[in-house]
Amino acid sequence: MKNLLVEKNSGPNIIVKVRDIAIGDKEPVFISGPCSVESYDKMMAIGKELKNIGIHILRGGAFKPRTSPYDFQGLHMEGIKILHEVGKSYNLPIVTEIMDARDIEKCIPYIDMIQVGSRNMYNYTLLKELGKSSLPILLKRGISATVSEWLYAAEYIMSSGNSQVVLCERGIRTFETYTRNTLDLNSVAVIKENYRLPIIVDPSHGTGKRELVESMSLASIACGAHGLMIESHICPDNAVSDARQTVNMDTLKSIVNKSKVLNDIL
């Protein structure tokens, strides 16, 4: 890959600003919240806990791509508006996935960062439209994507005018079946060594098992990740989607505290 905007020789390392939160600087950034926005009351309760723990950015799915068309698909614009209200109440920037280019314009007033999920990493029409946006983009790695394919997806966004891109390693599909995916922390080292985009890690999807999320979070910080994206809930077992990989608030607090200590040592 030569002469690409993502390469280090094309300019200085990029620090992405999500309102006043800088991703790619010295301090790790923590993004957390439930897989799906379930209701206003639940999101308010979750938002309060996340703010107290020190989470920087609130996440939650309003448009949910699901393998089965019969599974919960999210609250759509109602979910977006709920996220907005919770973020405003607790002064937390919002990141959420947009799956369809037709929804970008109507969602922009309510959110601070747009997530591209793993299924949409290859949606080049969507990527080019996001390149015309002024909002920062969180680009998740495709479930079977190579690092090069992932970087070319980022290039689609950047070449269309938006350099505010954060990469998110969320595990890839391999022959291993014990965990939901195989968390490829090699990619963190590769990105930091050769490319200028910040990279964070999602150990929730990377493992699919809540008991592994804390150890893999610390491993992610140890190998140089600029932050973590963790699914959390006040009642994880009752979460509408991805309950098995969702941690409770005590575990999340432990992850944040230990990650800060580890980052200071490194």
Side-chain angles (χ1 to χ4, degrees), residues 17-266:
K17 296 295 291 290
V18 184
R19 286 195 349 216
D20 59 344
I21 304 299
I23 305 178
D25 212 344
K26 295 180 181 179
E27 298 299 319
V29 170
F30 301 100
I31 303 171
S32 193
C35 176
S36 300
V37 178
E38 299 171 17
S39 69
Y40 177 84
D41 290 340
K42 280 187 181 178
M43 281 306 304
M44 275 293 181
I46 291 169
K48 181 179 180 180
E49 292 290 333
L50 297 180
K51 186 66 175 181
N52 290 337
I53 288 171
I55 295 301
H56 299 103
I57 300 173
L58 173 66
R59 62 143 292 152
F63 299 95
K64 292 302 299 176
R66 306 301 296 276
T67 301
S68 169
Y70 306 111
D71 288 339
F72 177 63
Q73 303 287 315
L75 299 178
H76 299 174
M77 281 306 299
E78 180 187 352
I80 294 287
K81 292 176 181 179
I82 289 172
L83 280 172
H84 177 72
E85 288 300 316
V86 174
K88 187 168 62 174
S89 296
Y90 297 109
N91 192 28
L92 288 168
I94 299 302
V95 59
T96 192
E97 180 173 0
I98 294 179
M99 298 167 53
D100 192 320
R102 294 170 294 183
D103 293 324
I104 295 172
E105 187 174 352
K106 64 183 179 183
C107 291
I108 281 178
Y110 297 100
I111 63 179
D112 303 289
M113 187 180 205
I114 298 172
Q115 175 182 311
V116 178
S118 60
R119 291 174 175 86
N120 270 315
M121 193 208 81
Y122 291 108
N123 186 342
Y124 300 123
T125 299
L126 176 63
L127 299 181
K128 286 186 282 188
E129 287 300 313
L130 293 176
K132 300 173 186 177
S133 168
S134 60
L135 287 184
I137 309 299
L138 181 65
L139 179 61
K140 284 199 163 189
R141 184 178 181 180
I143 193 168
S144 300
T146 65
V147 169
S148 293
E149 289 168 341
W150 187 20
L151 290 166
Y152 274 122
E155 195 75 11
Y156 266 97
I157 299 170
M158 297 176 71
S159 65
S160 296
N162 188 351
S163 64
Q164 294 290 287
V165 178
V166 177
L167 300 173
C168 181
E169 168 59 52
R170 46 81 69 209
I172 54 176
R173 178 176 290 168
T174 68
F175 55 80
E176 179 55 67
T177 58
Y178 183 83
T179 51
R180 178 175 180 177
N181 295 294
T182 297
L183 190 59
D184 180 19
L185 295 185
N186 288 339
S187 70
V188 178
V190 169
I191 298 301
K192 292 199 70 175
E193 179 69 22
N194 299 294
Y195 303 97
R196 62 195 190 103
L197 296 178
I199 179 168
I200 68 170
V201 174
D202 174 357
S204 301
H205 283 88
T207 64
K209 295 178 181 289
R210 67 170 67 116
E211 64 270 21
L212 302 179
V213 170
E214 181 167 342
S215 58
M216 295 314 297
S217 294
L218 298 179
S220 301
I221 295 296
C223 73
H226 294 111
L228 298 169
M229 187 175 192
I230 298 170
E231 290 189 353
S232 63
H233 198 287
I234 50 175
C235 301
D237 288 330
N238 296 327
V240 170
S241 55
D242 285 352
R244 184 65 183 84
Q245 66 192 37
T246 301
V247 302
N248 61 30
M249 294 299 162
D250 287 339
T251 300
L252 183 63
K253 183 176 182 179
S254 175
I255 291 170
V256 170
N257 291 340
K258 290 179 181 178
S259 295
K260 288 179 178 178
V261 171
L262 180 58
N263 187 71
D264 289 341
I265 293 172
L266 298 172

Side-chain angles (χ1 to χ4, degrees), residues 7-23:
E7 291 186 312
K8 281 192 178 292
N9 61 13
S10 65
N13 286 349
I14 293 173
I15 294 178
V16 174
K17 296 295 291 290
V18 184
R19 286 195 349 216
D20 59 344
I21 304 299
I23 305 178

